[in-house]
Amino acid sequence: MQTAEQWKHNDPWSWREFSALLLLEFGFVIFVIKYGVQSLYEKWLNVPLYAGTLTGLTIAIVLLAGLYVIALRPHGLTWQSVGVRSFPSSYWSRILIWLLVLIALSIAAVMITSLFGNSVDNSKTEALKQQVNGFTVLIGIVSAGIISPVYEEIFYRGFVYRWLRTRTGAGWSIVMSSLIFTAAHYPTFNAMPVNFISGVVFAWTYERTGSVIPAMIIHGVFNTIAVILTAFV
């Protein structure tokens, strides 16, 4: 088993696995699931929030299954190879600091982009605001605060960032993986500045800890706060 430092210097993957998984995301997920399957969910459930949550769960299953079939199983690897491993308890205080940094930078990004007419509202926030109650807020938290952080950190940091990190320095890997992460949130353009900042913080967290779990925690808490603010403010 590789240590928390060894993952930065080598991996068993080639451009084939990397390209196949990016094609899965930017081909199948965006054009088939986000446009085709989600429309079916909306017709079936008739509630945008429920349809969006089911869409997120579908994307999580597709990307994690693809990661396992394309990158892990052929090489006899476990989920530890994409950062699903424990981390030293001494990092808890840093996790709090990184979370506060993310919140501060995100608020600054929202304030700056608002000067150019950007809004924090999009299809996801509007879906939650249509019917605010305990159940819908819980659904929003499960979707944004649990499902998204788990699969996005494993896929974008555990695989994408690691693949880039073994081939270039930390700085370029953080920037490139964050750009990929931001592009994957198409078509919610107004959230992309915060998406990019989030990607930088999450990648930095993985770089420092060697585990995707701290980034999952930060990601989950940050998204949960966003859901609560959307619903009640």
Side-chain angles (χ1 to χ4, degrees), residues 2-176:
Q2 290 184 327
T3 67
E5 288 299 318
Q6 288 175 328
W7 68 268
K8 299 176 182 179
H9 306 293
N10 60 81
D11 66 49
W13 304 307
S14 67
W15 278 96
R16 182 176 60 183
E17 289 92 350
F18 186 72
S19 300
L21 286 168
L22 287 188
L23 181 61
L24 180 66
E25 166 59 84
F26 291 99
F28 186 79
V29 167
I30 288 183
F31 294 104
V32 176
I33 297 179
K34 288 188 177 181
Y35 282 102
V37 175
Q38 183 165 353
S39 297
L40 295 177
Y41 287 160
E42 289 174 351
K43 292 179 181 178
W44 175 33
L45 298 171
N46 202 33
V47 178
L49 178 63
Y50 300 163
T53 300
L54 189 54
T55 298
L57 181 59
T58 303
I59 293 172
I61 292 170
V62 167
L63 288 184
L64 292 183
L67 181 60
Y68 178 75
V69 171
I70 294 171
L72 299 183
R73 185 176 179 181
H75 298 281
L77 301 175
T78 67
W79 293 101
Q80 287 185 332
S81 300
V82 284
V84 184
R85 57 166 68 93
S86 60
F87 61 94
S89 58
S90 59
Y91 279 107
W92 277 106
S93 59
R94 300 184 192 182
I95 289 173
L96 176 59
I97 293 172
W98 294 330
L99 171 62
L100 294 175
V101 168
L102 173 58
I103 292 172
L105 292 176
S106 297
I107 291 173
V110 170
M111 293 177 64
I112 293 171
T113 57
S114 68
L115 298 175
F116 300 94
N118 191 31
S119 170
V120 295
D121 291 325
N122 52 55
S123 60
K124 295 179 181 179
T125 59
E126 291 299 328
L128 178 59
K129 288 179 177 180
Q130 284 181 8
Q131 185 179 3
V132 177
N133 56 51
F135 181 71
T136 57
V137 172
L138 178 60
I139 290 293
I141 291 173
V142 169
S143 176
I146 299 175
I147 295 174
S148 292
V150 169
Y151 86 82
E152 289 181 351
E153 293 314 309
I154 292 174
F155 187 85
Y156 294 106
R157 260 58 68 178
F159 176 77
V160 173
Y161 177 75
R162 175 180 176 173
W163 193 93
L164 293 166
R165 181 65 173 87
T166 62
R167 291 158 179 82
T168 186
W172 278 111
S173 300
I174 288 173
V175 171
M176 288 188 289

